[in-house]
Amino acid sequence: MASIIDFTDICKTFKVPLRTKGKFSMFKNFFIRKYKTIEALKNITFKVNEGDIVGYIGPNGAGKSTTIKIMSGILTPTSGNCVINGYVPWKNRREFVKNIGVVFGQRSQLWWDVPIMDSFELLRDIYKIPKDEFDKTLKLLNDALNLETLLNRPLRQLSLGQKMKCELAGSLLHHPKILFLDEPTIGLDAITKLAVRDFIKFINKKWKTTIILTTHDMNDIEALTNKIILIGKGQILYQGSFEKIKENYASSKTITVEFAKDYDNIALDGYEITNHEKRFATLKNLPSKQFHPKEFINEISKNYEIIDFQVTSLSVDEILAKLYKQYEIIER
Amino acid sequence: MNKSYLGIFKMEFKGELQYRNKAISGIFTQFFWGLLQIYLYVAFLNDTPVNGFSISQMATYIWLGQAFFAMRFITMPKRTGDNIVNGNVSYNFVRPLDLYNNWFCENLGQKIAATLLRFPLIIVIALFLPGNLKMYAPVNITALLLTILGIILGICLSVAISMFAVYLTFKTLSQKGSATIVATISGLLGGIVIPLPLMPQSLQNVINYLPFRFISDLPFRIYIGNIGITEGLIFLGIGIAWLIVLIIIGKLLIKSALKNTVIQGG
């Protein structure tokens, strides 16, 4: 399959004024300003195929939004090459943006004090969408997102979830080839989150839209993406399937055990005791130790009398936290 | 005009029409400010013309100024300023539009709507006021037509000048400060603070050729007959030339500002 996004060696540096501490520093800073350069992105290289849903993840401040802004033509990188859908985003901005849709989860693209439908009609004029095509698309989005009752109300009267549905619809009216979603599920309740996820999948299937998604919600990643790119401190640390990462961590288990009576001290070969309180204890297998339920029962029953136990694998959030720790990319 | 820019114009026009109370309070302010100014000048000038500018001409000039205050006073639509300061301008970038034209149309829509809402009532009342306060009819029908042309040019000039405030907002991230600086300079040199005919002649020789006086001073003085038809036509030509120059400079400035723009935060 042809790649639709081709990012090669993109770097972006920002110059920020340094603030010194101490007496009169505000006054001094007013006249003498020192700058330091921050490398927001360092040699970012990746490819995205047509029709993919790519999850772009990393801790806060890793450079996710900066990448999205470069991809959507808002920022010019300091160096490097990028071809998206045959265009260099920041060079032929006006031509390029006709084929992309963007949703910034924390901002709004619709007009605040007019009915949603007026905003949509203005977008129709801006993108020069033919009338019949617009009606067809709107009907499709309407059915998929249940917008019917919202279209006549101004944006300011809508809840966050309703707003996000309208924002999504607004970004898709012109039938873009690529959709950039910057934290689309931020602040949404469970039901709306599921609806938004279903909708993203639906559009991807129906239109073969390539979707780039940043999020902190790992369930989004699990439910939607077929490829992830992990970024930290401005560098790509991993790209590939999320399943692979999960496999790497699949062997670590957490076992909660209930004993028949109180034990003063608990110890078991190959396991680390992370918590022990009266008749309950939490154990984790060490990396060298493979967990087998039968073997585990045999070993622990030798010295202790147990009533019940429960095994849990790492949640996706925990896996990610481990990954961040492993790569030391958490901001301090 | 391109359909997309017309759409932006209409959106801002409709938005402004919603704010009825804003228009009503504007009319009240303008009305009392007009009365105050006229009484002030009557008290000082005591019926003697200054620089060939009679009291009745002055009253008419002041009323026109109050009626078209929304047009002659430099403002920036709230949306434009807000978007630049809070970073929503991201969405302006991802539209297939020229950003200068986009903001120009936004501002034009707002200015025209605000002007249309305010001027008829003030003019109608002012035409029927007694004594020194009365606003007079135009000297002749040609002057009136030329005045209308001049006001249309004035609105465009006012918007073109306000684009410098948009540029400053990019640089300073303060929409109020930027608009105030541009509005103060334009107000002083455009006759909002003191009617230009009352300024010293030497100063007038310079101010008369700066772009600011073409916003409102020119059409108002054509209306009261202080500037003749031929002279008025020549000045209108200069005004149009200024409009073209200002748009070109504005476009270049906005382009350079956009190049260095950094959108902060997630």
Side-chain angles (χ1 to χ4, degrees), chain A residues 93 104 107 109 113 127, chain B residues 19 86 88 91 93 95 97:
Chain A
R93 184 185 66 82
F104 297 107
R107 308 189 186 283
Q109 62 181 321
D113 40 16
Y127 286 101
Chain B
Y19 297 105
N86 68 24
N88 249 352
Y91 276 122
F93 276 88
R95 306 272 179 245
L97 296 175

Side-chain angles (χ1 to χ4, degrees), chain A residues 152-203:
Chain A
N152 295 321
R153 288 161 60 188
L155 186 67
R156 61 186 141 91
Q157 288 178 7
L158 303 186
S159 73
L160 192 63
Q162 292 169 328
K163 232 183 251 176
M164 183 43 70
K165 285 180 175 181
C166 293
E167 296 282 346
L168 273 170
S171 69
L172 286 163
L173 287 171
H174 57 293
H175 206 316
K177 274 189 171 163
I178 308 168
L179 181 62
F180 297 106
L181 302 172
D182 197 0
E183 304 193 24
T185 53
I186 197 163
L188 300 184
D189 66 46
I191 293 174
T192 320
K193 242 182 211 179
L194 289 177
V196 165
R197 263 178 222 153
D198 283 345
F199 176 73
I200 293 172
K201 265 194 263 182
F202 167 76
I203 284 295

Side-chain angles (χ1 to χ4, degrees), chain A residues 14 69 74-75 93-94 97-98 102-104 107-109 111 113-114 118 122-123 125-128, chain B residues 3-4 7-8 11 14 18-19 79 86-88 90-91 93-98 261-265:
Chain A
F14 293 109
K69 280 169 196 163
I74 298 170
L75 286 182
R93 184 185 66 82
R94 277 167 71 183
V97 295
K98 282 180 190 166
V102 187
V103 174
F104 297 107
R107 308 189 186 283
S108 177
Q109 62 181 321
W111 281 257
D113 40 16
V114 296
D118 287 22
L122 178 49
L123 287 173
D125 290 346
I126 287 175
Y127 286 101
K128 302 191 173 67
Chain B
K3 208 176 162 193
S4 38
I8 291 170
M11 192 64 113
K14 272 193 286 189
Q18 285 186 15
Y19 297 105
R79 182 187 338 278
N86 68 24
N88 249 352
S90 298
Y91 276 122
F93 276 88
V94 298
R95 306 272 179 245
L97 296 175
D98 178 84
T261 298
V262 175
I263 311 242
Q264 300 170 333

Side-chain angles (χ1 to χ4, degrees), chain B residues 26-191:
Chain B
I27 289 175
F28 270 104
T29 316
Q30 253 64 77
F31 191 73
F32 285 104
W33 191 247
L35 286 182
L36 197 79
Q37 266 190 311
I38 294 172
Y39 276 129
L40 192 76
Y41 286 120
V42 168
F44 272 107
L45 302 176
N46 201 12
D47 277 356
T48 39
V50 178
N51 293 345
F53 202 50
S54 72
I55 287 291
S56 63
Q57 281 181 323
M58 170 135 57
T60 309
Y61 185 100
I62 285 171
W63 282 126
L64 282 168
Q66 294 308 316
F68 289 97
F69 187 77
M71 164 274 232
R72 74 203 296 230
F73 189 69
I74 302 293
T75 51
M76 187 176 19
K78 197 172 170 324
R79 182 187 338 278
T80 313
D82 282 351
N83 282 355
I84 295 169
V85 175
N86 68 24
N88 249 352
V89 73
S90 298
Y91 276 122
N92 290 117
F93 276 88
V94 298
R95 306 272 179 245
L97 296 175
D98 178 84
L99 291 171
Y100 181 93
N101 295 353
N102 179 349
W103 289 317
F104 194 96
C105 291
E106 246 174 43
N107 201 340
L108 194 66
Q110 196 226 2
K111 271 228 155 340
I112 293 182
T115 309
L116 287 179
L117 277 180
R118 288 163 177 75
F119 90 89
L121 194 61
I122 297 180
I123 289 201
V124 167
I125 295 173
L127 283 171
F128 293 99
L129 288 176
N132 277 340
L133 294 173
K134 184 176 161 55
M135 173 182 164
Y136 286 86
V139 279
N140 54 49
I141 192 82
T142 328
L144 180 66
L145 288 176
L146 224 51
T147 304
I148 293 169
L149 271 180
I151 283 174
I152 294 170
L153 169 70
I155 291 186
C156 295
L157 267 172
S158 173
V159 173
I161 290 170
S162 75
M163 293 302 287
F164 289 84
V166 174
Y167 169 75
L168 282 179
T169 309
F170 264 107
K171 289 282 156 197
T172 61
L173 291 186
S174 156
Q175 44 178 323
K176 275 220 169 116
S178 305
T180 309
I181 286 181
V182 179
T184 307
I185 295 171
S186 165
L188 192 65
L189 300 176

